[in-house]
């Protein structure tokens, strides 16, 4: 079965690099019209845009933690393209923190930053995109969460909590919005080979991380992209609310 997204309008946050870039490329290869959101990295966003097959793609600047910018981004996309069929909430940050060496002030800022990018930003963007999807007759929203939501993140507790929150948000929205033909999916990768993890994977912790999987490696961004496209394709409506693991059997749950 060939998956294709001809004429579908797809908005991907944090699309300038990493997993977002891989998702953007795969959607474009499958006929989609791709809008990549970027925050600061215009140069990288333009590189991604140049690499996309097909035509009609665009890059839109927006800090997803700013509700005004989020609203303007959605208005701009709707104005230019008329609809959003698929939203991928991919943008996120991973920050480690050592409680023993952290002042209260720093701790609070770390939580505020992580939760606003990884959870509140996607929730606000979802609100605005859902308004548009209700008008156009429906759509699909895929949230990129993390294995850390289940496994615990002792070095990055705000990250784990924010991703668990995003999983729960997906499930709640799946129930609330199915009557509008709006379907929600969460994709929960373990470690993936991107700029976010380069330092950790190249450090002395790298081998132990790879050994968490019986495949003795971490995921490639293209593997996360592949699953995202499967979920976004037709025929997955009854899977709404699901959370799909991409962790090479490094953490199994049932
Ligand atoms: P990355 O750091 O390469 O990309 C993250 C993107 O998010 C960047 O383009 C960045 O500019 C963007 N971003 C950050 N803050 C933003 C903001 N305020 N507004 C708009 N964009 C913003 O990381 P990645 O590895 O490609 O991760 C993509 C997603 O996958 C993230 O949500 C991450 O938590 C998740 N994830 C990654 C891994 C991994 O091991 N790499 C594992 C599990 C989940």
């Amino acid at each position: 079965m060939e998956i294709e997204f001809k004429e579908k309008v797809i908005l991907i946050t944090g699309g300038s690099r990493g997993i977002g870039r891989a998702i953007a490329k795969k959607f474009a290869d499958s006929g989609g019209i791709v809008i990549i959101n970027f925050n600061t990295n215009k140069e990288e966003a333009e590189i991604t845009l140049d690499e996309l097959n097909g035509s009609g793609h665009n890059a839109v600047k927006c800090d997803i933690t700013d509700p005004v910018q989020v609203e303007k981004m959605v208005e701009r996309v709707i104005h230019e393209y008329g609809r959003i069929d698929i939203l991928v909430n991919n943008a996120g940050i991973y920050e480690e923190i050592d409680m023993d060496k952290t002042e209260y002030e720093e701790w609070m800022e770390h939580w505020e930053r992580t939760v606003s990018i990884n959870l509140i930003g996607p929730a606000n963007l979802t609100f605005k995109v859902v308004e548009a999807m209700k008008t156009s007759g429906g759509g699909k929203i895929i949230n990129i969460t993390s294995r850390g939501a289940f496994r615990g993140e002792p070095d990055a507790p705000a990250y784990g909590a924010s991703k668990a929150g995003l999983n729960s948000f997906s499930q709640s929205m799946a129930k609330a919005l199915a009557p509008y033909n709006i379907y929600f999916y969460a994709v929960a990768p373990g470690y993936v080979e991107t700029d976010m993890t380069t330092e950790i994977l190249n450090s002395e912790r790298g081998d132990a991380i790879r050994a968490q999987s019986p495949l003795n490696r971490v995921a490639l961004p293209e593997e996360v992209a592949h699953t995202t496209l499967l979920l976004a394709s037709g025929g997955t409506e009854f899977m709404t609310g699901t959370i799909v693991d991409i962790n090479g059997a490094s953490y199994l749950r049932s």
Side-chain angles (χ1 to χ4, degrees):
M1 184 185 70
E2 197 176 318
I3 297 175
E4 64 132 357
F5 294 93
K6 210 163 192 289
E7 305 301 317
K8 297 275 185 208
V9 178
I10 301 129
L11 174 62
I12 305 163
T13 64
S16 61
R17 65 181 211 180
I19 294 170
R21 174 182 279 176
I23 293 172
K25 285 167 91 166
K26 258 199 205 305
F27 270 119
D29 286 347
S30 308
I33 300 165
V34 176
I35 298 116
I36 50 169
N37 148 252
F38 67 98
N39 181 18
T40 50
N41 208 338
K42 190 165 187 240
E43 225 167 86
E44 286 290 309
E46 278 167 0
I47 292 173
T48 305
L49 208 52
D50 282 348
E51 288 178 354
L52 299 182
N53 285 325
S55 59
H57 314 302
N58 213 340
V60 183
K61 180 173 166 54
C62 166
D63 177 349
I64 59 158
T65 65
D66 179 342
V68 176
Q69 289 187 39
V70 164
E71 189 167 22
K72 283 197 174 139
M73 175 170 68
V74 175
E75 279 170 7
R76 184 178 155 189
V77 176
I78 296 302
H79 180 73
E80 285 178 26
Y81 294 89
R83 56 193 294 132
I84 297 171
D85 297 296
I86 297 159
L87 166 66
V88 184
N89 279 311
N90 163 76
I93 55 163
Y94 173 88
E95 280 185 9
E96 298 195 339
I97 195 160
D98 183 345
M99 267 183 105
D100 292 337
K101 294 181 189 146
T102 301
E103 297 296 332
Y104 187 37
E105 198 65 31
E106 200 187 327
W107 173 258
M108 287 189 291
E109 285 168 11
H110 163 82
W111 273 86
E112 183 85 41
R113 206 167 36 249
T114 301
V115 174
S116 65
I117 295 174
N118 291 3
L119 183 56
I120 299 175
N124 289 345
L125 179 55
T126 297
F127 184 94
K128 294 309 298 180
V129 169
V130 160
E131 281 181 341
M133 284 179 171
K134 280 180 176 172
T135 307
S136 63
K140 292 191 166 182
I141 298 185
I142 294 134
N143 294 313
I144 309 298
T145 69
S146 172
R147 180 188 72 165
F150 316 108
R151 193 171 173 265
E153 289 281 3
D155 299 321
Y159 181 80
S162 67
K163 295 297 189 177
L166 194 54
N167 279 336
S168 172
F169 176 64
S170 280
Q171 293 171 326
S172 300
M173 292 294 100
K175 280 188 173 275
L177 294 168
Y180 298 94
N181 295 321
I182 302 173
Y183 304 103
F184 282 80
Y185 311 89
V187 173
Y191 276 96
V192 186
E193 224 176 83
T194 67
D195 292 328
M196 184 183 264
T197 53
T198 306
E199 205 180 313
I200 298 177
L201 295 174
N202 289 340
S203 76
E204 56 191 18
R205 290 156 67 187
D207 283 346
I209 289 170
R210 283 179 279 277
Q212 288 170 0
S213 164
L215 290 144
N216 201 30
R217 65 173 180 87
V218 299
L220 297 172
E222 290 71 25
E223 292 176 305
V224 181
H226 183 72
T227 302
T228 302
L229 265 75
L230 283 177
L231 292 169
S233 65
T236 59
E237 289 73 20
F238 218 66
M239 286 176 75
T240 192
T242 196
I243 303 169
V244 179
D245 296 316
I246 309 180
N247 66 35
S250 62
Y251 182 77
L252 299 173
R253 59 195 177 92
S254 55

